[in-house]
Amino acid sequence: MMRSAYIFNPDNDLALANGADNYTAPKMARKIRDDLQLIPLWFADTGSTIIADCDTVNEAFVADTVKMFPQLGAVDLSHRDADCAMPWGWSRAIRSELKRLNIANLPDKLQLDAFRQLSHRRTSVDILSEIDYRGIMPSECFSLSDVQRYVSLHGETVVKAPWSCSGRGVFLINQTDFDRSRDLIAGIISKQGSVMCEKFLNKQSDFALEFRSEETGISFQGYSIFSNGNRFSYEKAIVADSFTLKKILLKEIDEQVLDNLCVRLQTALARFVPEWYRGYLGIDMMTFTDNGSLQVMPCVELNLRTTMGLLSSKLGDRILAPGRIGEMTITCRQTYDAVISYVKSLAPAQVENGKLVGGSLLLVPPKPGSIYTAVLTVV
């Protein structure tokens, strides 16, 4: 069995936007990566390694976690003898980083350049066309006049940078306030070549289908149900086993519609995802109302990387007791002392037979200087 080296690089979308072999993310993006570096522990394959600090805090956390949840299997923090890499996301920058660590079997630069283009938000249009979506399509706009034309045709519009993360580079405009966004739009077009425009929809709920690309093809991994904030940034996710998550989705979506979408999207992904790619990917979707009718937008965007949705899905199937419902949150506090105070306020995790049945479970250990943490709470 291949020994994979996992690494948490949530700044990868920023590295894709930059496109260079060597890229330094903004300070807060580096901080998120450092504070949450053990996140892959919860979805890594048995026998894998996580590229993280080999310190006493991390080593004790991994040992305690695997003892508490033996189904996670053996995972260590030594990247020696790794056969391949499983980063959160692929870019030229992470390739350079992994090469310096002597990780084997890395994709070449030309492969990653093609992968970067596939990670562009325009791919959502290709996927929607492939599954014959009949709604109003997003459009790639290369100038301010293109954007203005789209807004005049479709009204309120969500504008997205081709590569961005955590809601940055995503904003809402309309005809009356277009001038206020003119410089922002022009700046993105200047740096990234275009923007994506999508008609604003009266959203009811966010969800995603999670997949994995392997030698045998694209496999369905599960569902994720999450919440985005007012600024389109990730807030929290519902955690439950796949059966329970599907039951929640079926309150809004017909089962045949959902199952059919899953099959069609899986087939579409097999056409677009390169054969060399080994790892997770997700398609963000949403339900929305139009003239009183509840409908599904089947591809808000393709995340050609691991996602927080995949993490919440794996937690539901691997960690949470069947039928229980939890909530996963990524929190930020101003100081390490505030993090410790928050952690102390949480109800202790209750684990029975290797499954979480109550309380709150820390997904990463708080370390001196940490301001970010991740928690799964049974509700």
Side-chain angles (χ1 to χ4, degrees):
M1 186 175 179
M2 296 282 280
R3 177 170 160 81
S4 301
Y6 287 76
I7 185 168
F8 182 60
N9 57 315
D11 54 331
N12 195 66
D13 289 342
L14 300 175
L16 284 173
N18 179 271
D21 288 338
N22 296 294
Y23 168 71
T24 301
K27 181 179 179 181
M28 291 308 291
R30 299 197 306 273
K31 186 62 176 163
I32 295 170
R33 175 175 172 172
D34 188 55
D35 289 356
L36 304 183
Q37 61 185 262
L38 286 187
I39 281 292
L41 173 63
W42 303 100
F43 55 83
D45 293 328
T46 298
S48 299
T49 179
I50 299 172
I51 299 173
D53 297 333
C54 292
D55 54 35
T56 54
V57 174
N58 278 355
E59 288 177 343
F61 184 82
V62 171
D64 291 345
T65 299
V66 173
K67 184 178 180 181
M68 196 182 309
F69 303 105
Q71 66 270 29
L72 291 178
V75 178
D76 64 48
L77 300 181
S78 170
H79 62 269
R80 291 188 298 274
D81 303 321
D83 300 303
C84 59
M86 287 278 282
W88 186 262
W90 277 109
S91 64
R92 278 192 170 215
I94 196 63
R95 180 188 186 276
S96 297
E97 188 174 335
L98 292 166
K99 192 174 182 181
R100 289 192 291 270
L101 294 172
N102 296 314
I103 303 296
N105 299 315
L106 301 176
D108 62 39
K109 292 181 180 181
L110 289 178
Q111 286 175 318
L112 289 176
D113 288 344
F115 196 73
R116 178 177 183 265
Q117 290 305 313
L118 193 61
S119 299
H120 190 294
R121 282 193 165 108
R122 72 166 73 93
T123 302
S124 63
V125 179
D126 297 330
I127 291 174
L128 288 169
S129 298
E130 183 72 16
I131 64 172
D132 197 26
Y133 178 61
R134 300 300 178 89
I136 296 171
M137 296 286 273
S139 178
E140 186 173 8
C141 296
F142 300 90
S143 66
L144 284 169
S145 58
D146 286 347
V147 176
Q148 202 157 19
R149 192 176 304 113
Y150 191 93
V151 175
S152 67
L153 279 172
H154 302 298
E156 267 195 306
T157 295
V158 180
V159 178
K160 299 180 177 181
W163 300 279
S164 66
C165 60
S166 299
R168 292 173 182 163
V170 180
F171 51 95
L172 191 63
I173 63 171
N174 56 43
Q175 283 183 290
T176 57
D177 67 3
F178 181 82
D179 286 342
R180 284 189 294 177
S181 303
R182 183 179 293 269
D183 290 345
L184 178 58
I185 296 168
I188 295 172
I189 293 173
S190 175
K191 288 181 179 178
Q192 299 193 26
S194 64
V195 294
M196 295 301 300
C197 287
E198 302 172 9
K199 177 178 171 55
F200 175 76
L201 301 175
N202 185 23
K203 182 176 69 177
Q204 297 301 295
S205 60
D206 292 298
F207 69 104
L209 301 184
E210 308 295 341
F211 299 90
R212 182 168 179 166
S213 177
E214 303 169 279
E215 285 185 14
T216 53
I218 305 293
S219 61
F220 176 65
Q221 296 291 299
Y223 310 95
S224 64
I225 303 174
F226 57 94
S227 299
N228 283 332
N230 293 332
R231 298 176 65 84
F232 303 97
S233 59
Y234 181 90
E235 280 192 340
K236 60 187 177 182
I238 295 174
V239 178
D241 59 76
S242 293
F243 177 78
T244 303
L245 286 178
K246 186 175 184 180
K247 279 178 61 179
I248 295 171
L249 290 173
L250 294 184
K251 293 177 182 178
E252 289 189 329
I253 307 167
D254 179 79
E255 185 170 18
Q256 187 174 354
V257 170
L258 183 61
D259 291 345
N260 185 45
L261 268 178
C262 184
V263 171
R264 294 170 70 192
L265 288 169
Q266 191 171 341
T267 302
L269 289 172
R271 283 201 57 210
F272 291 109
V273 177
E275 289 184 0
W276 64 263
Y277 180 63
R278 300 290 177 268
Y280 295 106
L281 57 152
I283 294 184
D284 287 351
M285 312 167 80
M286 68 178 176
T287 59
F288 67 97
T289 55
D290 183 30
N291 293 322
S293 172
L294 190 66
Q295 301 184 34
V296 176
M297 174 49 162
C299 182
V300 175
E301 64 184 42
L302 165 66
N303 291 303
L304 204 50
R305 54 172 171 78
T306 313
T307 64
M308 288 297 175
L310 184 279
L311 170 62
S312 65
S313 179
K314 290 297 185 185
L315 287 170
D317 284 330
R318 288 185 171 189
I319 303 302
L320 202 61
R324 301 293 172 97
I325 294 179
E327 184 176 278
M328 185 188 81
T329 54
I330 310 296
T331 64
C332 179
R333 299 290 189 276
Q334 290 188 325
T335 65
Y336 172 66
D337 287 343
V339 170
I340 295 302
S341 178
Y342 166 66
V343 169
K344 287 180 177 178
S345 73
L346 299 172
Q350 300 169 33
V351 179
E352 296 177 3
N353 300 317
K355 293 286 187 174
L356 184 69
V357 297
S360 293
L361 177 70
L362 285 178
L363 303 179
V364 294
K367 301 169 72 172
S370 294
I371 59 173
Y372 288 94
T373 193
V375 176
L376 167 59
T377 298
V378 179
V379 296

